[in-house]
Amino acid sequence: MPVNRFWKNNGLQLAWVVALVATLGSLYLSEILGYNPCKLCWIQRIFMYPLVILLGIAALKRDNKITTYVLALSIPGGLVSLYHYLYIKTDWFKAASSFCQENPCDFDYINWFGFITIPFMALTAFVLITVICFLLRRAVRNSDGLHFSM
């Protein structure tokens, strides 16, 4: 199964690249362009930044068991990103959110093509990392002979 072999051999590196690009992108936006991250952006960073270290070490050691810990960060991080995106683009959560006073969470620093915002980019990164980890887990499970075929 060449597809399983691809994910087993390259999944950690791909997930690490996604996390690294997301982290460097967020640092570029805040430190170079001067965009002030809101509280929801900080929460997303708390979930993303450790992934660079965890995935980097796991990729070097070829430790495919790290996916459990990665998913424990990528799934809630993705949920925060989804909430933040919906907070910006809809009126669904406006009344319930009172934690973004000094730096508003619904300010659009970036709005490309009418839908690509900073939370959307973070959500994309979290989803990619999550999908890669699930594909990696399946590839490892299949290569270990733990699957049944009918």
Side-chain angles (χ1 to χ4, degrees), residues 132-146:
I132 290 168
C133 283
F134 277 120
L135 291 170
L136 175 60
R137 288 168 67 108
R138 188 178 69 181
V140 169
R141 186 178 59 238
N142 288 346
S143 71
D144 290 344
L146 299 176

Side-chain angles (χ1 to χ4, degrees), residues 3 17 19-20 40 47 58 80 87 92 103 131 134:
V3 173
V17 167
L20 181 65
L40 287 173
F47 285 108
V80 173
Y87 181 77
W92 295 350
N103 194 13
V131 168
F134 277 120

Side-chain angles (χ1 to χ4, degrees), residues 115-136:
F115 72 96
I116 298 175
T117 62
I118 294 172
F120 181 84
M121 290 187 281
L123 175 61
T124 302
F126 282 122
V127 168
L128 282 171
I129 291 167
T130 301
V131 168
I132 290 168
C133 283
F134 277 120
L135 291 170
L136 175 60

